[in-house]
């Protein structure tokens, strides 16, 4: 738990987020920071969608790992049969096939992460319903199981904004989180990532301002800092919203 002095700003929410840096203004208050988004997918009078790209996976590395594991798996299975030739029993065959199964599982995991896992897991805000929808893809390290898409939705009135600093190797930098609180309190129930910036909090403050202004039914402009998607993210792989949530998140009540 971080320590604060009386002269320093202190977190408003309980419990505060780890490595807390700043609380955002309440989302119903006038926003003093000019609203701006880094990226924008959809803007309409009903809903807004912003992308959230994953940076924790080396997509090229997944392909390399998948190919290498497949080659090693084939080699191990063939070696098991070759070594067993001339010997009694099936010990080496079992060892070879067991090792091949493990390596094929690793290859499947790598190929599935590259070909199936969404690289963009977006956030939608529906200002007619005053709700926010979080797209999540539940990846596990068991490639033989189904990896489902889930959508979390919350009342926008219960969401607060917090900025933290992460020293994680793959996600180093400042991060803007939405913290869902019990209605009318500052007691946090759960949190979700909204955006991240490597070296500056300013863009995150502008993003929070943009989302708040939009949900207050004020006008915002579609002028994101970046247009298009990085080459690594084409084609987009995050459009598979469950039918019921696709309808709810994009329509008025």
């Amino acid at each position: 738990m971080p320590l604060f002095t009386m002269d320093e700003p202190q977190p408003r929410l309980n419990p505060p987020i780890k490595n807390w840096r700043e609380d955002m203004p309440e989302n119903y208050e006038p926003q003093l920071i000019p609203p701006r988004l880094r990226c924008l997918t959809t803007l309409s009078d009903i809903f807004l969608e912003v992308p959230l790209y994953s940076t924790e996976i080396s997509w090229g590395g997944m392909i390399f790992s998948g190919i290498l594991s497949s080659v090693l798996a084939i080699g191990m299975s063939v070696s098991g049969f070759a070594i067993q030739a001339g010997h009694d029993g099936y010990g080496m065959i079992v060892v070879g096939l067991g090792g091949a199964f493990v390596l094929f599982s690793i290859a499947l995991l790598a190929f599935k992460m590259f070909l199936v896992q969404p690289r963009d897991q977006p956030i939608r805000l529906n200002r007619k319903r005053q709700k926010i929808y979080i797209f999540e893809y539940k990846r596990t390290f068991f490639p033989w199981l189904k990896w489902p898409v889930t959508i979390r939705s919350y009342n926008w009135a219960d969401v607060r904004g917090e900025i933290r600093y992460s020293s994680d190797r793959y996600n180093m930098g400042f991060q803007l989180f939405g913290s869902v609180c019990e209605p009318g309190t500052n007691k946090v129930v759960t949190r979700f990532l909204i955006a991240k910036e490597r070296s500056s909090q300013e863009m995150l403050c502008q993003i929070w301002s943009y989302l708040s202004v939009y949900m207050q039914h004020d006008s915002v402009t579609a002028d994101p800092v970046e247009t298009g998607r990085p080459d690594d993210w084409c084609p987009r792989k995050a459009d598979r919203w469950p039918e019921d949530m696709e309808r709810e998140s994009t329509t008025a009540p």
Side-chain angles (χ1 to χ4, degrees):
M1 179 70 64
L3 298 178
F4 302 94
T5 68
M6 295 300 294
D7 296 328
E8 294 178 331
Q10 298 189 24
R12 183 170 65 244
L13 303 185
N14 179 35
I17 196 168
K18 183 180 179 181
N19 298 325
W20 174 90
R21 288 293 184 273
E22 183 180 355
D23 283 318
M24 295 292 93
E26 297 285 0
N27 57 30
Y28 58 83
E29 296 177 341
Q31 302 296 311
L32 303 180
I33 303 296
R36 190 96 188 264
L37 292 178
R38 177 168 293 283
C39 300
L40 173 65
T41 303
T42 304
L43 173 64
S44 73
D45 185 54
I46 297 176
F47 79 100
L48 165 73
E49 180 179 316
V50 292
L52 180 59
Y53 299 128
S54 174
T55 58
E56 61 186 22
I57 297 174
S58 170
W59 304 107
M62 290 298 101
I63 284 292
F64 176 79
S65 297
I67 294 174
L68 179 61
S69 297
S70 298
V71 172
L72 292 175
I74 294 171
M76 181 165 285
S77 59
V78 171
S79 297
F81 281 97
I83 295 173
Q84 187 63 49
H87 295 78
D88 295 332
Y90 301 96
M92 293 308 300
I93 294 177
V94 172
V95 171
L97 291 178
F101 176 78
V102 172
L103 289 168
F104 271 127
S105 297
I106 295 174
L108 178 60
L109 176 65
F111 286 131
K112 194 171 181 179
M113 289 174 67
F114 181 83
L115 297 171
V116 179
Q117 177 174 326
R119 304 184 184 186
D120 169 20
Q121 300 187 45
I123 294 172
R124 286 180 181 171
L125 293 92
N126 187 310
R127 68 178 176 185
K128 300 295 185 181
R129 298 180 186 271
Q130 286 295 296
K131 298 188 73 173
I132 184 169
Y133 300 83
I134 317 300
F135 182 104
E136 292 182 327
Y137 190 71
K138 297 293 186 180
R139 184 185 78 223
T140 72
F141 288 98
F142 298 98
W144 311 100
L145 301 179
K146 184 178 181 179
W147 295 353
V149 168
T150 61
I151 308 297
R152 289 196 284 161
S153 64
Y154 304 104
N155 293 323
W156 179 244
D158 299 331
V159 178
R160 313 286 191 270
E162 292 178 290
I163 292 179
R164 61 165 289 198
Y165 183 81
S166 171
S167 56
D168 181 76
R169 177 181 178 184
Y170 297 104
N171 285 300
M172 183 176 293
F174 294 96
Q175 300 174 343
L176 171 62
F177 272 79
S179 300
V180 183
C181 297
E182 293 182 358
T185 75
N186 287 330
K187 184 178 180 181
V188 178
V189 177
T190 188
R191 290 181 166 97
F192 57 88
L193 180 66
I194 295 177
K196 47 194 173 183
E197 293 287 329
R198 181 163 290 274
S199 59
S200 174
Q201 297 181 215
E202 181 181 0
M203 187 75 240
L204 296 180
C205 295
Q206 291 180 314
I207 291 173
W208 178 257
S209 178
Y210 191 103
L211 302 182
S212 298
V213 169
Y214 175 81
M215 293 297 275
Q216 292 171 13
H217 292 271
D218 289 339
S219 60
V220 289
T221 58
D223 60 343
V225 174
E226 298 176 2
T227 57
R229 301 183 181 91
D231 291 340
D232 288 348
W233 307 108
C234 297
R236 187 176 183 219
K237 299 182 179 182
D239 288 331
R240 306 294 188 197
W241 288 68
E243 184 177 348
D244 58 335
M245 298 308 292
E246 172 74 22
R247 181 172 56 254
E248 178 181 324
S249 64
T250 60
T251 61

